[in-house]
Amino acid sequence: MGKIILTGDRPTGKLHIGHYVGSLRNRIKLQNAGDYDKYYIMVADAQALTDNFDNPKKIRDNVIEVVLDYLSVGIDPKKVIIFIQSEVSALSELTCYYLNLVTLSRLLRNPTVKSEIAMRGFDNTVPSGFLNYPVSQTADITAFKANCIPVGDDQLPMIEQANEIVRKFNSIYGDVLVESEALLPENEFERRVPGIDGKAKMSKSLNNAIFLADTKEEVARKVMNMYTDPNHIKVSDPGKVEGNIVFLYLDIFAKDEHFEKYLPDYKNIDELKNKYREGGLGDVTIKKFLISILEEEFAPIREKRKYYETHIDEVYKIIEEGTKKAIEDANATLREVKNAIGINYFADDNFCKEIRSKYMQG
Ligand code: TRP
């Protein structure tokens, strides 16, 4: 069995630097390494509806935003199948059969779902669809026989639950489904890119995000507002590097050649940190440095986005064709699943023979 990659995002907003560092960059790396048989990226609109059912316009509007983000960071539709979840009806059918294999108490135990229920204040009002989304996610994964799932560590409980369902299905109905493994971001920072306020993980809802679609000016303004060291007031004051968001970002993005280009007084990040600790290095200097680096990284992305925004028919075609392929592949698995359960009545000659021999005389 080869490698089949599948991942997805809920289209609830534009993607930001947190997504870029935590997953998009790695998706490009996977794509370019080419070491896979199939690679799917899914816009999880049906899943997004499970806690946004009362605001479908938000989901509808963001489908195209998320696809624009994919294309502008360099996801190549020739190498990756980009598709829309709700268009693949086999996923709903699979979900229906998988629901029989999961207990309510198991659903309530999923740690990610548990904390999401608390965060959204759902308590006893949690919609069944929301509680069941790990089962629908199991359908997303198994429909494509995906075995490699690049996700954040908050998704580990989903993969675990998916594999439980796969094992249960296979043990009852026969070996049809494939277990999968999560592919996690490499380091702690990639897993939890902090927002510009330094308080929490970057997130659209916390209003602390830098979006991939932000203009040069917006990025600059956000970096100028970044949390540094509140006790570093005068340039001559010694400053703290730990917990300083500008340095956290520099750690991820700054390379030695950036120093040569934009801040030649220092050779590398260690020299810069030492000077900051010692005193004599102002926040404006390090922020301007970070702005230059981010501009270098994001200008080409913005440019690509511009291209696709002005060729939106191309984008439409890409998702339409990707979705067509996804429908075919998922239908093939659905057929296997129905065969295994024995509910494939009209595609199965034996069914016809069975009822004949049972009811027809002589
Ligand atoms: N739950 C994922 C998230 O919130 C999105 C998602 C839906 C997904 N289906 C998936 C991710 C299947 C990986 C595989 O980010």
Side-chain angles (χ1 to χ4, degrees):
M1 258 273 315
K3 182 153 130 186
I4 300 181
I5 306 171
L6 179 131
T7 189
D9 303 277
R10 299 182 191 180
T12 52
K14 291 181 180 176
L15 302 180
H16 52 61
I17 297 195
H19 297 117
Y20 180 70
V21 172
S23 81
L24 295 172
R25 276 199 322 191
N26 290 330
R27 292 185 198 177
I28 307 289
K29 246 192 250 162
L30 276 172
Q31 168 188 293
N32 294 341
D35 162 35
Y36 57 84
D37 294 304
K38 282 205 165 180
Y39 190 164
Y40 302 88
I41 299 184
M42 178 185 75
V43 184
D45 63 335
Q47 186 175 113
L49 277 172
T50 62
D51 64 334
N52 291 281
F53 55 87
D54 51 355
N55 192 2
K57 187 169 185 320
K58 171 169 144 191
I59 307 307
R60 180 184 163 92
D61 289 347
N62 279 303
V63 165
I64 201 76
E65 292 303 330
V66 167
V67 175
L68 280 170
D69 284 326
Y70 292 159
L71 295 172
S72 50
V73 297
I75 295 290
D76 178 354
K78 288 196 200 74
K79 296 179 179 157
V80 174
I81 298 173
I82 302 173
F83 72 96
I84 301 181
Q85 183 185 28
S86 66
E87 288 288 324
V88 184
S89 52
L91 298 177
S92 308
E93 285 191 58
L94 289 172
T95 303
C96 171
Y97 304 123
Y98 296 167
L99 278 170
N100 300 328
L101 309 177
V102 192
T103 63
L104 180 60
S105 66
R106 176 63 182 91
L107 287 165
L108 288 164
R109 246 189 359 252
N110 184 308
T112 299
V113 175
K114 227 171 161 173
S115 71
E116 284 174 320
I117 289 176
M119 234 164 61
R120 288 163 176 70
F122 274 153
D123 275 325
N124 287 327
T125 64
V126 58
S128 312
F130 186 81
L131 193 62
N132 283 324
Y133 90 71
V135 182
S136 126
Q137 190 157 333
T138 303
D140 303 337
I141 295 169
T142 56
F144 302 96
K145 308 231 160 133
N147 48 16
C148 171
I149 318 294
V151 277
D153 48 6
D154 63 319
Q155 296 296 304
L156 282 173
M158 307 303 155
I159 312 289
E160 196 184 316
Q161 210 171 346
N163 286 335
E164 282 174 31
I165 294 173
V166 167
R167 285 192 290 268
K168 187 142 190 195
F169 184 100
N170 288 349
S171 75
I172 298 174
Y173 304 116
D175 254 340
V176 173
L177 304 178
V178 175
E179 288 191 51
S180 59
E181 237 176 275
L183 181 67
L184 295 175
E186 266 164 32
N187 57 51
E188 183 54 30
F189 184 85
E190 286 188 356
R191 270 173 228 156
R192 285 190 66 83
V193 178
I196 55 173
D197 57 0
K199 280 194 196 115
K201 197 166 156 173
M202 184 175 282
S203 123
K204 180 187 153 71
S205 51
L206 295 172
N207 217 0
N208 65 1
I210 299 178
F211 295 98
L212 293 172
D214 278 349
T215 63
K216 183 178 175 183
E217 292 71 29
E218 279 166 331
V219 174
R221 185 179 54 77
K222 287 177 179 177
V223 172
M224 289 318 267
N225 284 330
M226 258 182 191
Y227 179 88
T228 55
D229 168 7
N231 296 317
H232 182 246
I233 297 161
K234 285 184 287 180
V235 172
S236 56
D237 289 341
K240 251 176 83 176
V241 164
E242 291 69 31
N244 185 318
I245 302 303
V246 178
F247 276 104
L248 274 172
Y249 277 78
L250 287 175
D251 272 334
I252 255 290
F253 288 109
K255 301 190 188 96
D256 290 356
E257 59 259 33
H258 291 134
F259 284 89
E260 219 177 297
K261 220 158 141 188
Y262 304 116
L263 203 60
D265 288 350
Y266 305 89
K267 270 204 204 59
N268 54 42
I269 190 72
D270 292 331
E271 274 191 16
L272 192 75
K273 283 181 178 171
N274 285 340
K275 183 68 185 172
Y276 194 81
R277 287 195 182 101
E278 205 181 288
L281 178 59
D283 281 353
V284 172
T285 307
I286 55 168
K287 284 178 170 175
K288 285 205 162 141
F289 180 47
L290 177 59
I291 290 169
S292 307
I293 296 173
L294 290 181
E295 185 51 22
E296 194 173 311
E297 183 103 8
F298 293 117
I301 294 177
R302 231 178 272 131
E303 206 130 292
K304 252 196 168 148
R305 194 184 175 92
K306 213 21 16 98
Y307 170 84
Y308 283 110
E309 282 176 358
T310 52
H311 294 76
I312 208 73
D313 287 353
E314 253 177 68
V315 181
Y316 185 86
K317 231 193 165 121
I318 286 166
I319 39 180
E320 199 185 18
E321 278 172 10
T323 301
K324 250 187 223 156
K325 284 188 204 146
I327 288 172
E328 254 174 54
D329 295 348
N331 279 344
T333 303
L334 178 64
R335 273 194 296 276
E336 279 183 69
V337 159
K338 292 181 85 171
N339 273 337
I341 305 177
I343 51 171
N344 50 340
Y345 312 106
F346 302 117
D348 179 2
D349 289 344
N350 283 330
F351 179 68
C352 182
K353 280 185 203 141
E354 275 167 32
I355 50 176
R356 275 223 178 98
S357 69
K358 192 165 169 192
Y359 294 106
M360 282 176 48
Q361 306 300 326

